[in-house]
Amino acid sequence: MKRILTLVAIAGAMVASGAAFAYDGHNCKEAGNCWEAKPGYPEKIAGSKYDPKHDPKEVGKQQASVQAMDARNAKRIANAKSTGKFDYDSAE
């Protein structure tokens, strides 16, 4: 029993000591600027796999989707003002 308790205590100490050296991301350069990259993250990401290439067509699709959503919401609000009751399906 004493041997098991000793092993549990040693395992707990190892876990606690490992947590003390873990990356926490709290090295602030100045007040409010506490972001830093994880260890091993490249300094320069342009042209690497971390550099997203945004396709103008895909961005345009998103913009069209948002505009359509705004138009549907405007119809819903207009219907709610005229009837006095909000109906989510009224714009379709």
Side-chain angles (χ1 to χ4, degrees):
M1 182 70 177
K2 191 173 185 180
R3 183 176 180 197
I4 293 174
L5 289 176
T6 304
L7 289 175
V8 169
I10 290 172
M14 289 173 66
V15 169
S17 67
F21 296 111
Y23 170 77
D24 64 355
H26 290 291
N27 296 328
C28 300
K29 295 176 185 168
E30 59 189 37
N33 185 12
C34 294
W35 184 89
E36 67 175 314
K38 290 182 179 180
Y41 194 80
E43 286 293 321
K44 183 180 177 194
I45 61 171
S48 71
K49 68 178 182 178
Y50 301 105
D51 185 21
K53 306 281 191 275
H54 296 293
D55 184 13
K57 276 193 213 176
E58 294 300 320
V59 174
K61 285 181 190 177
Q62 183 178 11
Q63 183 177 3
S65 173
V66 168
Q67 289 172 343
M69 177 188 65
D70 288 339
R72 288 190 304 271
N73 286 340
K75 289 179 184 177
R76 289 180 179 119
I77 297 299
N79 183 51
K81 286 181 180 178
S82 66
T83 63
K85 179 181 171 190
F86 185 82
D87 184 16
Y88 183 79
D89 294 327
S90 64
E92 297 174 8

Coordinates of all heavy atoms in Angstrom, one line a residue:
M1 N 0.8 -1.2 0.0 CA 0.0 0.0 0.0 C 0.9 1.2 0.0 O 0.6 2.2 -0.7 CB -0.9 0.0 1.2 CG -1.9 1.1 1.3 SD -3.1 0.9 0.0 CE -4.1 2.3 0.3
K2 N 1.9 1.2 0.8 CA 2.8 2.3 0.9 C 3.5 2.6 -0.5 O 3.7 3.7 -0.9 CB 3.9 2.1 2.0 CG 4.7 3.3 2.4 CD 5.5 3.0 3.6 CE 6.2 4.3 4.0 NZ 7.1 4.1 5.2
R3 N 3.9 1.5 -1.1 CA 4.5 1.6 -2.4 C 3.6 2.2 -3.5 O 4.0 3.0 -4.3 CB 4.9 0.2 -2.9 CG 5.7 0.2 -4.2 CD 6.2 -1.2 -4.5 NE 6.9 -1.2 -5.7 CZ 7.2 -2.2 -6.4 NH1 6.8 -3.4 -6.0 NH2 7.9 -2.2 -7.5
I4 N 2.3 1.9 -3.5 CA 1.4 2.4 -4.4 C 1.2 3.9 -4.1 O 1.2 4.7 -5.1 CB 0.0 1.7 -4.3 CG1 0.2 0.3 -4.8 CG2 -1.1 2.4 -5.1 CD1 -1.1 -0.6 -4.6
L5 N 1.1 4.3 -2.9 CA 1.0 5.7 -2.6 C 2.2 6.5 -3.0 O 2.1 7.6 -3.5 CB 0.7 5.9 -1.1 CG -0.7 5.5 -0.6 CD1 -0.8 5.6 0.9 CD2 -1.8 6.3 -1.3
T6 N 3.4 5.9 -2.9 CA 4.6 6.6 -3.3 C 4.6 6.7 -4.8 O 5.0 7.8 -5.3 CB 5.8 5.7 -2.8 OG1 5.8 5.5 -1.4 CG2 7.1 6.4 -3.2
L7 N 4.2 5.7 -5.5 CA 4.1 5.8 -7.0 C 3.1 6.9 -7.4 O 3.4 7.6 -8.4 CB 3.8 4.5 -7.6 CG 4.9 3.4 -7.5 CD1 4.4 2.1 -8.0 CD2 6.1 3.8 -8.3
V8 N 2.0 6.9 -6.8 CA 1.0 7.9 -7.1 C 1.5 9.3 -6.8 O 1.3 10.3 -7.6 CB -0.3 7.7 -6.3 CG1 -1.3 8.9 -6.5 CG2 -1.0 6.4 -6.8
A9 N 2.2 9.5 -5.7 CA 2.8 10.8 -5.4 C 3.9 11.2 -6.4 O 3.9 12.4 -6.8 CB 3.4 10.8 -4.0
I10 N 4.7 10.3 -6.8 CA 5.7 10.6 -7.8 C 5.1 10.9 -9.2 O 5.5 11.9 -9.8 CB 6.7 9.4 -8.0 CG1 7.5 9.2 -6.7 CG2 7.6 9.5 -9.2 CD1 8.4 8.0 -6.7
A11 N 4.0 10.2 -9.6 CA 3.3 10.5 -10.8 C 2.7 11.9 -10.8 O 2.8 12.6 -11.7 CB 2.3 9.4 -11.1
G12 N 2.1 12.2 -9.7 CA 1.5 13.5 -9.5 C 2.5 14.6 -9.6 O 2.3 15.7 -10.2
A13 N 3.7 14.4 -9.0 CA 4.8 15.4 -9.0 C 5.3 15.6 -10.4 O 5.6 16.7 -10.9 CB 5.9 15.0 -8.1
M14 N 5.3 14.5 -11.2 CA 5.8 14.6 -12.6 C 4.8 15.4 -13.4 O 5.2 16.2 -14.3 CB 6.0 13.2 -13.1 CG 7.2 12.5 -12.6 SD 7.4 10.8 -13.1 CE 7.7 11.0 -14.8
V15 N 3.5 15.1 -13.2 CA 2.5 15.9 -14.0 C 2.5 17.3 -13.6 O 2.5 18.2 -14.5 CB 1.1 15.3 -13.7 CG1 0.0 16.1 -14.3 CG2 1.0 13.9 -14.3
A16 N 2.7 17.6 -12.4 CA 2.7 19.0 -11.9 C 3.9 19.8 -12.5 O 3.8 20.9 -12.9 CB 2.6 19.1 -10.4
S17 N 5.1 19.1 -12.5 CA 6.3 19.8 -12.9 C 6.2 20.0 -14.5 O 6.7 20.9 -15.0 CB 7.5 19.0 -12.6 OG 7.5 17.7 -13.3
G18 N 5.6 19.0 -15.2 CA 5.4 19.2 -16.6 C 4.5 20.4 -17.0 O 4.7 21.1 -17.9
A19 N 3.5 20.6 -16.2 CA 2.6 21.7 -16.4 C 3.2 23.0 -16.2 O 2.9 24.0 -16.8 CB 1.3 21.6 -15.5
A20 N 4.2 23.1 -15.3 CA 4.9 24.3 -15.0 C 5.7 24.8 -16.2 O 5.9 26.0 -16.4 CB 5.8 24.1 -13.8
F21 N 6.2 23.8 -17.1 CA 7.0 24.2 -18.2 C 6.2 24.2 -19.5 O 6.8 24.4 -20.6 CB 8.2 23.2 -18.4 CG 9.1 23.3 -17.2 CD1 9.2 22.3 -16.3 CD2 9.9 24.4 -17.0 CE1 10.1 22.3 -15.2 CE2 10.7 24.5 -15.9 CZ 10.8 23.5 -15.0
A22 N 4.9 24.0 -19.4 CA 4.1 24.0 -20.6 C 3.9 25.4 -21.2 O 4.0 26.4 -20.5 CB 2.7 23.5 -20.3
Y23 N 3.7 25.4 -22.5 CA 3.5 26.7 -23.2 C 2.1 27.3 -22.8 O 1.1 26.6 -22.8 CB 3.4 26.4 -24.7 CG 3.0 27.6 -25.6 CD1 3.8 28.6 -25.8 CD2 1.7 27.6 -26.1 CE1 3.4 29.7 -26.6 CE2 1.3 28.7 -26.8 CZ 2.2 29.7 -27.1 OH 1.8 30.8 -27.8
D24 N 2.2 28.5 -22.4 CA 0.9 29.2 -21.9 C 0.5 30.4 -22.8 O -0.6 30.9 -22.7 CB 1.0 29.6 -20.4 CG 2.1 30.6 -20.1 OD1 2.8 31.0 -21.1 OD2 2.1 31.1 -19.0
G25 N 1.4 30.9 -23.6 CA 1.1 32.0 -24.5 C 0.9 33.3 -23.8 O 0.1 34.2 -24.3
H26 N 1.4 33.5 -22.6 CA 1.2 34.8 -21.9 C 2.4 35.6 -21.7 O 2.7 36.2 -20.7 CB 0.6 34.5 -20.5 CG -0.8 34.0 -20.6 ND1 -1.9 34.7 -21.0 CD2 -1.3 32.8 -20.4 CE1 -3.0 34.0 -21.0 NE2 -2.7 32.8 -20.6
N27 N 3.2 35.7 -22.7 CA 4.4 36.6 -22.7 C 4.0 37.9 -23.4 O 4.1 37.9 -24.7 CB 5.6 36.0 -23.3 CG 6.1 34.7 -22.6 OD1 5.9 34.7 -21.4 ND2 6.6 33.8 -23.3
C28 N 3.5 38.9 -22.7 CA 3.0 40.1 -23.4 C 4.1 41.0 -23.8 O 5.0 41.3 -23.0 CB 2.0 40.8 -22.4 SG 0.6 39.8 -21.9
K29 N 4.0 41.5 -25.0 CA 5.0 42.5 -25.5 C 4.7 43.9 -24.9 O 5.5 44.7 -24.6 CB 4.9 42.6 -27.0 CG 5.4 41.3 -27.7 CD 5.3 41.3 -29.2 CE 5.6 40.0 -29.7 NZ 5.2 39.8 -31.1
E30 N 3.4 44.1 -24.8 CA 2.9 45.4 -24.1 C 1.5 45.1 -23.6 O 0.9 44.0 -23.9 CB 2.9 46.5 -25.2 CG 2.1 46.3 -26.4 CD 2.3 47.3 -27.5 OE1 3.4 47.8 -27.7 OE2 1.3 47.6 -28.1
A31 N 0.9 46.0 -22.9 CA -0.4 45.8 -22.4 C -1.4 45.6 -23.5 O -1.6 46.4 -24.4 CB -0.8 47.0 -21.5
G32 N -2.1 44.5 -23.4 CA -3.2 44.1 -24.4 C -2.6 43.4 -25.6 O -3.4 43.0 -26.5
N33 N -1.3 43.3 -25.7 CA -0.7 42.6 -26.9 C 0.0 41.3 -26.4 O 1.2 41.3 -26.3 CB 0.2 43.5 -27.6 CG 0.8 42.9 -28.9 OD1 0.3 41.8 -29.3 ND2 1.8 43.5 -29.5
C34 N -0.8 40.3 -26.1 CA -0.3 39.1 -25.5 C -0.2 37.9 -26.4 O 0.1 36.8 -26.0 CB -1.1 38.7 -24.2 SG -1.0 39.9 -22.9
W35 N -0.5 38.1 -27.7 CA -0.5 37.0 -28.6 C 1.0 36.7 -29.0 O 1.8 37.6 -29.2 CB -1.2 37.4 -29.9 CG -1.3 36.2 -30.8 CD1 -2.3 35.3 -30.9 CD2 -0.3 35.8 -31.9 NE1 -2.0 34.3 -31.8 CE2 -0.8 34.7 -32.5 CE3 0.8 36.4 -32.3 CZ2 -0.2 34.0 -33.5 CZ3 1.5 35.7 -33.3 CH2 1.0 34.6 -33.9
E36 N 1.2 35.4 -29.1 CA 2.5 34.9 -29.6 C 2.3 33.6 -30.3 O 1.3 32.9 -29.9 CB 3.6 34.8 -28.5 CG 3.3 33.8 -27.5 CD 4.4 33.7 -26.5 OE1 5.6 33.6 -26.9 OE2 4.2 33.6 -25.3
A37 N 3.1 33.3 -31.2 CA 2.9 32.0 -31.9 C 3.3 30.9 -31.1 O 4.2 31.0 -30.2 CB 3.7 32.1 -33.2
K38 N 2.8 29.7 -31.3 CA 3.2 28.5 -30.6 C 4.6 28.2 -31.0 O 5.0 28.5 -32.1 CB 2.3 27.3 -30.9 CG 0.9 27.5 -30.3 CD 0.1 26.3 -30.7 CE -1.3 26.4 -30.1 NZ -2.1 25.2 -30.4
P39 N 5.3 27.5 -30.2 CA 6.7 27.1 -30.5 C 6.7 26.2 -31.8 O 5.8 25.4 -32.0 CB 7.2 26.3 -29.3 CG 6.3 26.7 -28.2 CD 5.0 27.1 -28.8
G40 N 7.6 26.6 -32.7 CA 7.7 25.8 -34.0 C 6.9 26.5 -35.1 O 7.0 26.0 -36.2
Y41 N 6.1 27.4 -34.8 CA 5.3 28.1 -35.9 C 6.3 29.0 -36.6 O 7.1 29.7 -36.1 CB 4.2 28.9 -35.3 CG 3.1 29.4 -36.3 CD1 2.1 28.5 -36.7 CD2 3.2 30.7 -36.8 CE1 1.2 28.9 -37.6 CE2 2.2 31.1 -37.7 CZ 1.2 30.2 -38.1 OH 0.3 30.6 -39.0
P42 N 6.2 29.0 -38.0 CA 7.2 29.8 -38.8 C 7.0 31.3 -38.5 O 5.9 31.8 -38.4 CB 6.9 29.4 -40.2 CG 5.5 28.9 -40.2 CD 5.3 28.3 -38.8
E43 N 8.2 32.0 -38.6 CA 8.1 33.4 -38.5 C 7.5 34.1 -39.7 O 6.7 35.0 -39.5 CB 9.6 34.0 -38.4 CG 10.2 33.7 -37.0 CD 9.6 34.4 -35.9 OE1 9.2 35.6 -36.1 OE2 9.4 33.9 -34.8
K44 N 7.8 33.6 -40.9 CA 7.2 34.2 -42.1 C 6.3 33.1 -42.7 O 6.7 32.0 -42.9 CB 8.3 34.6 -43.0 CG 7.8 35.2 -44.3 CD 9.0 35.6 -45.2 CE 8.4 36.2 -46.5 NZ 9.4 36.2 -47.5
I45 N 5.1 33.5 -43.0 CA 4.1 32.5 -43.5 C 3.8 32.8 -44.9 O 3.1 31.9 -45.6 CB 2.8 32.5 -42.7 CG1 2.1 33.8 -42.7 CG2 3.1 32.0 -41.3 CD1 0.7 33.7 -42.1
A46 N 4.2 33.9 -45.5 CA 3.9 34.1 -46.9 C 4.5 33.1 -47.8 O 5.6 32.8 -47.8 CB 4.4 35.5 -47.3
G47 N 3.6 32.5 -48.7 CA 4.1 31.5 -49.6 C 4.2 30.1 -49.1 O 4.6 29.2 -49.7
S48 N 3.8 30.0 -47.8 CA 3.9 28.6 -47.2 C 2.5 28.0 -47.1 O 1.5 28.6 -47.6 CB 4.5 28.7 -45.8 OG 3.6 29.3 -44.9
K49 N 2.4 26.9 -46.6 CA 1.0 26.2 -46.5 C 0.2 27.0 -45.5 O -1.0 26.8 -45.4 CB 1.2 24.8 -46.1 CG 1.7 24.5 -44.7 CD 1.8 23.1 -44.4 CE 2.2 22.8 -42.9 NZ 2.3 21.4 -42.6
Y50 N 0.7 27.9 -44.7 CA -0.1 28.6 -43.7 C -0.6 29.9 -44.3 O -1.3 30.7 -43.7 CB 0.8 29.0 -42.5 CG 1.3 27.8 -41.8 CD1 2.7 27.4 -41.9 CD2 0.5 27.0 -41.0 CE1 3.2 26.3 -41.3 CE2 1.0 25.9 -40.4 CZ 2.3 25.6 -40.5 OH 2.8 24.5 -39.9
D51 N -0.3 30.2 -45.6 CA -0.7 31.4 -46.2 C -1.9 31.1 -47.1 O -1.8 30.6 -48.2 CB 0.4 32.0 -47.1 CG 0.1 33.3 -47.7 OD1 -0.8 34.0 -47.2 OD2 0.7 33.6 -48.7
P52 N -3.1 31.5 -46.6 CA -4.3 31.1 -47.4 C -4.4 32.0 -48.6 O -4.2 33.1 -48.6 CB -5.5 31.4 -46.4 CG -4.9 32.5 -45.5 CD -3.5 32.2 -45.4
K53 N -4.8 31.3 -49.7 CA -5.0 32.0 -51.0 C -6.6 32.1 -51.1 O -7.3 31.2 -51.3 CB -4.5 31.2 -52.1 CG -3.0 30.8 -52.0 CD -2.1 32.0 -52.3 CE -0.7 31.6 -52.4 NZ 0.0 31.6 -51.2
H54 N -7.0 33.4 -51.1 CA -8.5 33.6 -51.2 C -8.9 33.8 -52.6 O -8.4 34.7 -53.3 CB -8.9 34.8 -50.4 CG -8.6 34.7 -48.9 ND1 -9.3 33.8 -48.1 CD2 -7.8 35.3 -48.1 CE1 -8.9 33.8 -46.9 NE2 -7.9 34.7 -46.8
D55 N -9.7 32.9 -53.1 CA -10.2 32.9 -54.5 C -11.3 34.0 -54.6 O -12.2 34.0 -53.8 CB -10.8 31.6 -54.8 CG -11.3 31.5 -56.3 OD1 -10.9 32.4 -57.0 OD2 -12.0 30.5 -56.6
P56 N -11.1 35.0 -55.5 CA -12.1 36.1 -55.6 C -13.5 35.6 -55.8 O -14.5 36.2 -55.4 CB -11.6 36.9 -56.8 CG -10.1 36.6 -56.9 CD -10.0 35.2 -56.4
K57 N -13.7 34.4 -56.6 CA -15.0 33.9 -56.8 C -15.7 33.4 -55.5 O -16.8 33.7 -55.3 CB -14.9 32.7 -57.7 CG -14.9 33.0 -59.2 CD -15.1 31.6 -59.9 CE -14.3 31.6 -61.2 NZ -14.5 30.4 -61.9
E58 N -14.9 32.8 -54.7 CA -15.4 32.3 -53.4 C -15.8 33.5 -52.5 O -16.8 33.5 -51.8 CB -14.4 31.4 -52.7 CG -14.2 30.1 -53.4 CD -15.4 29.3 -53.6 OE1 -16.3 29.2 -52.7 OE2 -15.6 28.7 -54.7
V59 N -15.0 34.5 -52.5 CA -15.3 35.7 -51.7 C -16.5 36.4 -52.2 O -17.4 36.8 -51.4 CB -14.1 36.7 -51.7 CG1 -14.4 38.0 -51.0 CG2 -12.9 36.0 -51.0
G60 N -16.7 36.4 -53.5 CA -17.9 37.0 -54.1 C -19.1 36.2 -53.8 O -20.2 36.8 -53.6
K61 N -19.0 34.9 -53.7 CA -20.1 34.0 -53.3 C -20.6 34.4 -51.9 O -21.8 34.5 -51.6 CB -19.8 32.6 -53.4 CG -19.7 32.0 -54.8 CD -19.4 30.5 -54.6 CE -19.0 29.8 -55.9 NZ -18.6 28.4 -55.8
Q62 N -19.6 34.6 -51.1 CA -20.0 34.9 -49.7 C -20.6 36.3 -49.6 O -21.6 36.4 -48.9 CB -18.7 34.9 -48.8 CG -19.0 35.1 -47.4 CD -17.7 35.1 -46.5 OE1 -16.6 35.0 -47.0 NE2 -17.9 35.1 -45.2
Q63 N -20.1 37.2 -50.4 CA -20.7 38.5 -50.4 C -22.2 38.5 -50.9 O -23.1 39.1 -50.3 CB -19.9 39.5 -51.2 CG -20.4 40.9 -51.2 CD -19.5 41.9 -51.9 OE1 -18.5 41.5 -52.5 NE2 -19.8 43.1 -51.9
A64 N -22.4 37.7 -51.9 CA -23.7 37.6 -52.5 C -24.7 36.9 -51.5 O -25.8 37.3 -51.4 CB -23.7 36.8 -53.8
S65 N -24.2 36.0 -50.8 CA -25.0 35.3 -49.8 C -25.4 36.2 -48.7 O -26.5 36.2 -48.2 CB -24.2 34.1 -49.2 OG -24.9 33.5 -48.1
V66 N -24.4 37.1 -48.2 CA -24.7 38.0 -47.2 C -25.8 39.1 -47.6 O -26.7 39.4 -46.9 CB -23.4 38.7 -46.7 CG1 -23.7 39.9 -45.8 CG2 -22.6 37.7 -45.9
Q67 N -25.6 39.5 -48.9 CA -26.6 40.5 -49.4 C -28.0 39.9 -49.5 O -29.0 40.5 -49.2 CB -26.1 41.0 -50.8 CG -24.9 41.9 -50.7 CD -24.3 42.3 -52.0 OE1 -24.6 41.6 -53.0 NE2 -23.5 43.3 -52.1
A68 N -28.1 38.6 -50.0 CA -29.4 38.0 -50.0 C -30.0 37.8 -48.6 O -31.2 38.0 -48.5 CB -29.2 36.6 -50.7
M69 N -29.1 37.5 -47.6 CA -29.6 37.4 -46.3 C -30.2 38.7 -45.8 O -31.2 38.8 -45.1 CB -28.5 36.9 -45.4 CG -28.9 36.8 -43.9 SD -27.5 36.5 -42.8 CE -26.5 38.0 -43.0
D70 N -29.4 39.8 -46.1 CA -29.9 41.1 -45.7 C -31.2 41.5 -46.3 O -32.1 42.1 -45.7 CB -28.8 42.2 -46.0 CG -27.6 42.1 -45.1 OD1 -27.7 41.5 -44.0 OD2 -26.5 42.6 -45.5
A71 N -31.4 41.1 -47.6 CA -32.6 41.4 -48.3 C -33.8 40.6 -47.7 O -34.9 41.1 -47.5 CB -32.5 41.0 -49.8
R72 N -33.6 39.3 -47.3 CA -34.6 38.5 -46.7 C -35.0 39.1 -45.3 O -36.1 39.2 -45.0 CB -34.1 37.1 -46.5 CG -34.1 36.3 -47.8 CD -33.9 34.8 -47.5 NE -32.7 34.5 -46.7 CZ -31.5 34.3 -47.2 NH1 -31.3 34.4 -48.5 NH2 -30.5 34.0 -46.4
N73 N -34.0 39.5 -44.6 CA -34.2 40.1 -43.3 C -35.0 41.4 -43.4 O -35.9 41.7 -42.6 CB -32.9 40.3 -42.5 CG -32.4 39.0 -42.0 OD1 -33.1 38.0 -41.9 ND2 -31.1 39.0 -41.7
A74 N -34.7 42.2 -44.4 CA -35.5 43.5 -44.6 C -36.9 43.2 -44.9 O -37.8 43.8 -44.4 CB -34.8 44.3 -45.7
K75 N -37.2 42.1 -45.7 CA -38.6 41.7 -46.0 C -39.3 41.2 -44.7 O -40.4 41.5 -44.5 CB -38.6 40.6 -47.0 CG -38.2 41.1 -48.4 CD -38.3 39.9 -49.4 CE -37.8 40.3 -50.8 NZ -37.8 39.1 -51.7
R76 N -38.6 40.5 -43.9 CA -39.2 40.0 -42.6 C -39.5 41.2 -41.7 O -40.6 41.2 -41.1 CB -38.2 39.1 -41.9 CG -38.0 37.8 -42.6 CD -37.1 36.9 -41.9 NE -37.0 35.6 -42.6 CZ -35.8 35.1 -43.1 NH1 -34.7 35.7 -42.9 NH2 -35.8 33.9 -43.7
I77 N -38.6 42.2 -41.6 CA -38.9 43.3 -40.8 C -40.1 44.1 -41.3 O -41.0 44.6 -40.6 CB -37.6 44.2 -40.6 CG1 -36.5 43.4 -40.0 CG2 -37.9 45.5 -39.9 CD1 -36.9 43.0 -38.5
A78 N -40.1 44.3 -42.6 CA -41.2 45.1 -43.3 C -42.5 44.3 -43.0 O -43.6 45.0 -42.7 CB -41.0 45.2 -44.8
N79 N -42.5 43.0 -43.1 CA -43.8 42.2 -42.8 C -44.1 42.3 -41.4 O -45.3 42.5 -41.0 CB -43.5 40.8 -43.2 CG -44.8 39.9 -43.0 OD1 -45.8 40.3 -43.5 ND2 -44.6 38.8 -42.3
A80 N -43.2 42.3 -40.5 CA -43.5 42.4 -39.0 C -44.0 43.8 -38.7 O -45.0 43.9 -37.9 CB -42.2 42.2 -38.2
K81 N -43.5 44.8 -39.4 CA -44.1 46.2 -39.1 C -45.5 46.3 -39.6 O -46.3 47.0 -39.0 CB -43.2 47.2 -39.7 CG -41.9 47.4 -39.0 CD -41.0 48.5 -39.7 CE -39.8 48.7 -38.9 NZ -38.9 49.7 -39.5
S82 N -45.8 45.7 -40.8 CA -47.1 45.8 -41.3 C -48.2 44.9 -40.6 O -49.3 45.3 -40.5 CB -47.1 45.5 -42.8 OG -46.8 44.2 -43.0
T83 N -47.8 43.8 -40.2 CA -48.7 42.9 -39.5 C -48.7 42.9 -38.0 O -49.6 42.5 -37.4 CB -48.5 41.4 -40.0 OG1 -47.2 41.0 -39.5 CG2 -48.6 41.2 -41.5
G84 N -47.6 43.4 -37.5 CA -47.4 43.4 -36.0 C -47.0 42.1 -35.4 O -47.0 41.9 -34.2
K85 N -46.7 41.2 -36.3 CA -46.2 39.8 -35.8 C -45.1 39.4 -36.7 O -45.1 39.5 -37.9 CB -47.4 38.8 -36.0 CG -47.1 37.4 -35.6 CD -48.3 36.5 -35.8 CE -47.9 35.1 -35.6 NZ -48.9 34.2 -36.0
F86 N -44.0 38.9 -36.0 CA -42.8 38.5 -36.7 C -43.0 37.1 -37.2 O -43.3 36.2 -36.4 CB -41.5 38.6 -35.8 CG -40.3 38.3 -36.6 CD1 -39.6 39.2 -37.3 CD2 -39.7 37.0 -36.5 CE1 -38.5 38.9 -38.0 CE2 -38.6 36.7 -37.2 CZ -37.9 37.6 -38.0
D87 N -42.8 36.9 -38.5 CA -42.9 35.5 -39.1 C -41.7 35.3 -39.8 O -41.3 35.9 -40.8 CB -44.1 35.5 -40.0 CG -44.4 34.1 -40.6 OD1 -43.8 33.1 -40.0 OD2 -45.1 34.0 -41.6
Y88 N -40.9 34.3 -39.4 CA -39.6 34.0 -40.0 C -39.7 33.5 -41.4 O -38.9 33.8 -42.2 CB -38.9 32.9 -39.1 CG -37.5 32.6 -39.6 CD1 -36.4 33.4 -39.3 CD2 -37.3 31.4 -40.4 CE1 -35.2 33.1 -39.8 CE2 -36.0 31.1 -40.8 CZ -34.9 32.0 -40.5 OH -33.7 31.7 -41.0
D89 N -40.8 32.8 -41.8 CA -40.9 32.3 -43.1 C -41.6 33.3 -44.1 O -41.8 32.9 -45.2 CB -41.7 31.0 -43.1 CG -41.0 29.9 -42.4 OD1 -39.8 29.8 -42.4 OD2 -41.7 29.1 -41.7
S90 N -41.8 34.5 -43.7 CA -42.5 35.4 -44.5 C -41.7 35.9 -45.7 O -42.2 36.4 -46.7 CB -43.0 36.6 -43.7 OG -41.9 37.3 -43.2
A91 N -40.4 35.8 -45.6 CA -39.5 36.4 -46.7 C -39.3 35.4 -47.8 O -38.7 35.8 -48.8 CB -38.2 36.8 -46.1
E92 N -39.7 34.2 -47.7 CA -39.4 33.2 -48.7 C -40.5 33.0 -49.7 O -41.5 33.5 -49.8 CB -39.0 31.9 -48.0 CG -37.8 32.1 -47.2 CD -37.5 30.8 -46.4 OE1 -38.1 29.8 -46.6 OE2 -36.5 30.9 -45.6

